[in-house]
Amino acid sequence: MGAPAGPAPSGLAPKPLDQLPRLARDTTEEDPWPVSVLSQKYHDAVARWPGAWVEGQIVEINTRRSGSAYLTLRDNFEDISINVMGFRAFATQAREFRQGDRVVVHGRPDLWIKQTRLSFMADRIKRVGTGDLKEQIDQLRRKLKGEGLFDAENKVPLPEFPRRIGLICAPKARAEGDVITNARLRWPTIEFSVVHAHVQGPQCPPEVVEAIQKLDADPAVDVIIVARGGGSFEDLLGFSDESVVRATAACVTPIVSAIGHEDDWTLIDLAADLRASTPTDAAKRVVPDLVEQEGIIQEARMRINARIQNMVEGETRLIEGYANRPSLTKPQTMLDKPQRLVDESLVRLDIALRRIVDDASLTVEKLQSSLTALSPQSTLDRGYAVVQTLDGKVVVSPQQVQADQDLTLTVKEGRIETRVVSGQ
């Protein structure tokens, strides 16, 4: 046994090994063992244990690092697990295994002194029991997938507010209480139609199929949950039976599978409309949360009230704007603009008429001047006279008159009667 590893605390120096108590019964409060010594003694004791074959189910496996493999094995019957690690040849063998496989592993116990952690250092691993079954299930999966039983377009959406849930589970099973309790905590008015069936063993497939068909034919059932707690790979085999999978795919009512734990898988999970990781998870996903729905309703009411308030305030502002307009406070202002238009039009009309009259007057004056200039009266005004016979003929030549002939002389200011004395 070597000296204790690691530096001593400041101000302290480790005792030499020959000064420490040799046996555990020799230790005292004043003379204890350091942790490193106890861990080393554990290691030495474990190293004397013989190798062994152990059997269990792989619940975790990590072979990502080349040359090493890390597994967690769970007991087939008890909720007990152990860490397994191995290198080189064991790591190569472990790459052929998957989560859920039942195996036997050979190795020796080992204790890591650094953290005083016990593990199982393995050198060989073999499959037992379920290898053929897993291959059969995988073949069935490929067959049913090829028939379209797992296609997404065949999935039925779950109702948003179911009134009755059909529950298939074992009698007096913990899964039944988990589903009902959690569902009613979220949605107190939910009702249940519970059908008990065997959930493992040879009676499981026919009873589960019968339960699915019974609940699917009930028009009061809105959604179906098939629930079972965790178990070994063999315990869950009934839910990978072909008849169960086909009944699930043919179910018209939305159906939820809640088989085992999150890491467990069965073929019913692929055919169901929804897979829940646990029965509790199924209850939470099938029914809405009352508190959440009340919050949604409250928020919707607040949004509606806010929108109505905004609309009322907007209409109020609009009415106030109309009421404060001059057209309503001083209606006569509505006539101001038309009155200005009339006044301006009258002014423009007066100006236009005046211009027309002036232009016409000027034209008349010009015409009058022209007529006056051309009128015989203007000639008379200059002292000339128009000589006419009594029958109105104008005398323009002496030959047109005779002696003693009466004539009329038209002058500027009137007519003069005269008689011809002689003419030349």
PDB file of all heavy atoms in Angstrom, residues 192-208:
ATOM      1  N   PHE A 192     -64.031   9.107 -16.452  1.00  0.00           N
ATOM      2  CA  PHE A 192     -63.240   7.973 -16.908  1.00  0.00           C
ATOM      3  C   PHE A 192     -64.117   6.749 -17.134  1.00  0.00           C
ATOM      4  O   PHE A 192     -65.075   6.511 -16.397  1.00  0.00           O
ATOM      5  CB  PHE A 192     -62.161   7.614 -15.888  1.00  0.00           C
ATOM      6  CG  PHE A 192     -60.979   8.545 -15.900  1.00  0.00           C
ATOM      7  CD1 PHE A 192     -60.978   9.690 -15.117  1.00  0.00           C
ATOM      8  CD2 PHE A 192     -59.890   8.286 -16.708  1.00  0.00           C
ATOM      9  CE1 PHE A 192     -59.904  10.550 -15.128  1.00  0.00           C
ATOM     10  CE2 PHE A 192     -58.805   9.144 -16.730  1.00  0.00           C
ATOM     11  CZ  PHE A 192     -58.811  10.276 -15.937  1.00  0.00           C
ATOM     12  N   SER A 193     -63.766   5.996 -18.172  1.00  0.00           N
ATOM     13  CA  SER A 193     -64.285   4.642 -18.377  1.00  0.00           C
ATOM     14  C   SER A 193     -63.076   3.725 -18.323  1.00  0.00           C
ATOM     15  O   SER A 193     -62.247   3.711 -19.245  1.00  0.00           O
ATOM     16  CB  SER A 193     -64.993   4.525 -19.733  1.00  0.00           C
ATOM     17  OG  SER A 193     -66.164   5.320 -19.765  1.00  0.00           O
ATOM     18  N   VAL A 194     -62.935   3.000 -17.218  1.00  0.00           N
ATOM     19  CA  VAL A 194     -61.741   2.181 -16.986  1.00  0.00           C
ATOM     20  C   VAL A 194     -62.042   0.728 -17.337  1.00  0.00           C
ATOM     21  O   VAL A 194     -63.042   0.164 -16.887  1.00  0.00           O
ATOM     22  CB  VAL A 194     -61.281   2.288 -15.518  1.00  0.00           C
ATOM     23  CG1 VAL A 194     -60.024   1.453 -15.292  1.00  0.00           C
ATOM     24  CG2 VAL A 194     -61.033   3.752 -15.141  1.00  0.00           C
ATOM     25  N   VAL A 195     -61.175   0.155 -18.157  1.00  0.00           N
ATOM     26  CA  VAL A 195     -61.268  -1.265 -18.509  1.00  0.00           C
ATOM     27  C   VAL A 195     -59.980  -1.929 -18.051  1.00  0.00           C
ATOM     28  O   VAL A 195     -58.888  -1.544 -18.493  1.00  0.00           O
ATOM     29  CB  VAL A 195     -61.465  -1.459 -20.025  1.00  0.00           C
ATOM     30  CG1 VAL A 195     -61.513  -2.950 -20.355  1.00  0.00           C
ATOM     31  CG2 VAL A 195     -62.730  -0.761 -20.498  1.00  0.00           C
ATOM     32  N   HIS A 196     -60.090  -2.902 -17.149  1.00  0.00           N
ATOM     33  CA  HIS A 196     -58.911  -3.604 -16.643  1.00  0.00           C
ATOM     34  C   HIS A 196     -58.547  -4.757 -17.563  1.00  0.00           C
ATOM     35  O   HIS A 196     -59.419  -5.441 -18.115  1.00  0.00           O
ATOM     36  CB  HIS A 196     -59.168  -4.120 -15.230  1.00  0.00           C
ATOM     37  CG  HIS A 196     -59.311  -3.017 -14.226  1.00  0.00           C
ATOM     38  ND1 HIS A 196     -60.330  -2.952 -13.304  1.00  0.00           N
ATOM     39  CD2 HIS A 196     -58.557  -1.905 -14.024  1.00  0.00           C
ATOM     40  CE1 HIS A 196     -60.185  -1.875 -12.560  1.00  0.00           C
ATOM     41  NE2 HIS A 196     -59.128  -1.213 -12.977  1.00  0.00           N
ATOM     42  N   ALA A 197     -57.245  -4.962 -17.719  1.00  0.00           N
ATOM     43  CA  ALA A 197     -56.744  -6.047 -18.561  1.00  0.00           C
ATOM     44  C   ALA A 197     -55.371  -6.449 -18.055  1.00  0.00           C
ATOM     45  O   ALA A 197     -54.684  -5.673 -17.375  1.00  0.00           O
ATOM     46  CB  ALA A 197     -56.655  -5.593 -20.027  1.00  0.00           C
ATOM     47  N   HIS A 198     -54.965  -7.680 -18.373  1.00  0.00           N
ATOM     48  CA  HIS A 198     -53.604  -8.086 -18.072  1.00  0.00           C
ATOM     49  C   HIS A 198     -52.644  -7.262 -18.933  1.00  0.00           C
ATOM     50  O   HIS A 198     -52.900  -7.056 -20.126  1.00  0.00           O
ATOM     51  CB  HIS A 198     -53.416  -9.577 -18.362  1.00  0.00           C
ATOM     52  CG  HIS A 198     -53.993 -10.472 -17.313  1.00  0.00           C
ATOM     53  ND1 HIS A 198     -55.330 -10.825 -17.294  1.00  0.00           N
ATOM     54  CD2 HIS A 198     -53.419 -11.072 -16.220  1.00  0.00           C
ATOM     55  CE1 HIS A 198     -55.572 -11.610 -16.250  1.00  0.00           C
ATOM     56  NE2 HIS A 198     -54.435 -11.771 -15.579  1.00  0.00           N
ATOM     57  N   VAL A 199     -51.558  -6.809 -18.340  1.00  0.00           N
ATOM     58  CA  VAL A 199     -50.605  -5.975 -19.074  1.00  0.00           C
ATOM     59  C   VAL A 199     -49.274  -6.688 -19.262  1.00  0.00           C
ATOM     60  O   VAL A 199     -48.286  -6.057 -19.667  1.00  0.00           O
ATOM     61  CB  VAL A 199     -50.402  -4.616 -18.352  1.00  0.00           C
ATOM     62  CG1 VAL A 199     -51.669  -3.794 -18.405  1.00  0.00           C
ATOM     63  CG2 VAL A 199     -49.937  -4.823 -16.914  1.00  0.00           C
ATOM     64  N   GLN A 200     -49.219  -7.987 -18.996  1.00  0.00           N
ATOM     65  CA  GLN A 200     -48.051  -8.806 -19.324  1.00  0.00           C
ATOM     66  C   GLN A 200     -48.494 -10.260 -19.332  1.00  0.00           C
ATOM     67  O   GLN A 200     -49.552 -10.609 -18.795  1.00  0.00           O
ATOM     68  CB  GLN A 200     -46.900  -8.580 -18.352  1.00  0.00           C
ATOM     69  CG  GLN A 200     -47.142  -9.089 -16.945  1.00  0.00           C
ATOM     70  CD  GLN A 200     -45.961  -8.767 -16.032  1.00  0.00           C
ATOM     71  OE1 GLN A 200     -45.697  -7.605 -15.744  1.00  0.00           O
ATOM     72  NE2 GLN A 200     -45.265  -9.806 -15.597  1.00  0.00           N
ATOM     73  N   GLY A 201     -47.706 -11.075 -19.985  1.00  0.00           N
ATOM     74  CA  GLY A 201     -48.049 -12.483 -20.071  1.00  0.00           C
ATOM     75  C   GLY A 201     -48.906 -12.793 -21.278  1.00  0.00           C
ATOM     76  O   GLY A 201     -49.298 -11.908 -22.054  1.00  0.00           O
ATOM     77  N   PRO A 202     -49.265 -14.048 -21.476  1.00  0.00           N
ATOM     78  CA  PRO A 202     -50.007 -14.472 -22.672  1.00  0.00           C
ATOM     79  C   PRO A 202     -51.417 -13.897 -22.749  1.00  0.00           C
ATOM     80  O   PRO A 202     -51.992 -13.827 -23.840  1.00  0.00           O
ATOM     81  CB  PRO A 202     -50.040 -16.003 -22.542  1.00  0.00           C
ATOM     82  CG  PRO A 202     -49.812 -16.279 -21.088  1.00  0.00           C
ATOM     83  CD  PRO A 202     -48.910 -15.198 -20.593  1.00  0.00           C
ATOM     84  N   GLN A 203     -52.018 -13.528 -21.609  1.00  0.00           N
ATOM     85  CA  GLN A 203     -53.373 -12.958 -21.636  1.00  0.00           C
ATOM     86  C   GLN A 203     -53.385 -11.490 -22.039  1.00  0.00           C
ATOM     87  O   GLN A 203     -54.447 -10.946 -22.324  1.00  0.00           O
ATOM     88  CB  GLN A 203     -54.021 -13.115 -20.257  1.00  0.00           C
ATOM     89  CG  GLN A 203     -54.267 -14.554 -19.824  1.00  0.00           C
ATOM     90  CD  GLN A 203     -54.772 -14.642 -18.404  1.00  0.00           C
ATOM     91  OE1 GLN A 203     -54.025 -14.409 -17.453  1.00  0.00           O
ATOM     92  NE2 GLN A 203     -56.049 -14.946 -18.252  1.00  0.00           N
ATOM     93  N   CYS A 204     -52.221 -10.879 -22.047  1.00  0.00           N
ATOM     94  CA  CYS A 204     -52.155  -9.436 -22.313  1.00  0.00           C
ATOM     95  C   CYS A 204     -52.688  -9.061 -23.698  1.00  0.00           C
ATOM     96  O   CYS A 204     -53.608  -8.236 -23.795  1.00  0.00           O
ATOM     97  CB  CYS A 204     -50.724  -8.946 -22.115  1.00  0.00           C
ATOM     98  SG  CYS A 204     -50.457  -7.224 -22.623  1.00  0.00           S
ATOM     99  N   PRO A 205     -52.171  -9.599 -24.813  1.00  0.00           N
ATOM    100  CA  PRO A 205     -52.613  -9.134 -26.132  1.00  0.00           C
ATOM    101  C   PRO A 205     -54.110  -9.248 -26.371  1.00  0.00           C
ATOM    102  O   PRO A 205     -54.749  -8.250 -26.755  1.00  0.00           O
ATOM    103  CB  PRO A 205     -51.800  -9.995 -27.105  1.00  0.00           C
ATOM    104  CG  PRO A 205     -50.585 -10.372 -26.333  1.00  0.00           C
ATOM    105  CD  PRO A 205     -51.046 -10.554 -24.922  1.00  0.00           C
ATOM    106  N   PRO A 206     -54.744 -10.420 -26.144  1.00  0.00           N
ATOM    107  CA  PRO A 206     -56.185 -10.484 -26.450  1.00  0.00           C
ATOM    108  C   PRO A 206     -57.022  -9.568 -25.562  1.00  0.00           C
ATOM    109  O   PRO A 206     -58.010  -8.987 -26.034  1.00  0.00           O
ATOM    110  CB  PRO A 206     -56.526 -11.960 -26.224  1.00  0.00           C
ATOM    111  CG  PRO A 206     -55.449 -12.499 -25.350  1.00  0.00           C
ATOM    112  CD  PRO A 206     -54.224 -11.729 -25.702  1.00  0.00           C
ATOM    113  N   GLU A 207     -56.658  -9.422 -24.303  1.00  0.00           N
ATOM    114  CA  GLU A 207     -57.449  -8.571 -23.413  1.00  0.00           C
ATOM    115  C   GLU A 207     -57.270  -7.092 -23.756  1.00  0.00           C
ATOM    116  O   GLU A 207     -58.226  -6.312 -23.696  1.00  0.00           O
ATOM    117  CB  GLU A 207     -57.060  -8.829 -21.957  1.00  0.00           C
ATOM    118  CG  GLU A 207     -57.482 -10.198 -21.459  1.00  0.00           C
ATOM    119  CD  GLU A 207     -57.251 -10.379 -19.970  1.00  0.00           C
ATOM    120  OE1 GLU A 207     -56.856  -9.387 -19.308  1.00  0.00           O
ATOM    121  OE2 GLU A 207     -57.459 -11.499 -19.453  1.00  0.00           O
ATOM    122  N   VAL A 208     -56.076  -6.694 -24.130  1.00  0.00           N
ATOM    123  CA  VAL A 208     -55.846  -5.301 -24.524  1.00  0.00           C
ATOM    124  C   VAL A 208     -56.591  -4.986 -25.813  1.00  0.00           C
ATOM    125  O   VAL A 208     -57.202  -3.919 -25.965  1.00  0.00           O
ATOM    126  CB  VAL A 208     -54.334  -5.018 -24.657  1.00  0.00           C
ATOM    127  CG1 VAL A 208     -54.102  -3.644 -25.299  1.00  0.00           C
ATOM    128  CG2 VAL A 208     -53.651  -5.079 -23.298  1.00  0.00           C
TER     129      VAL A 208
END
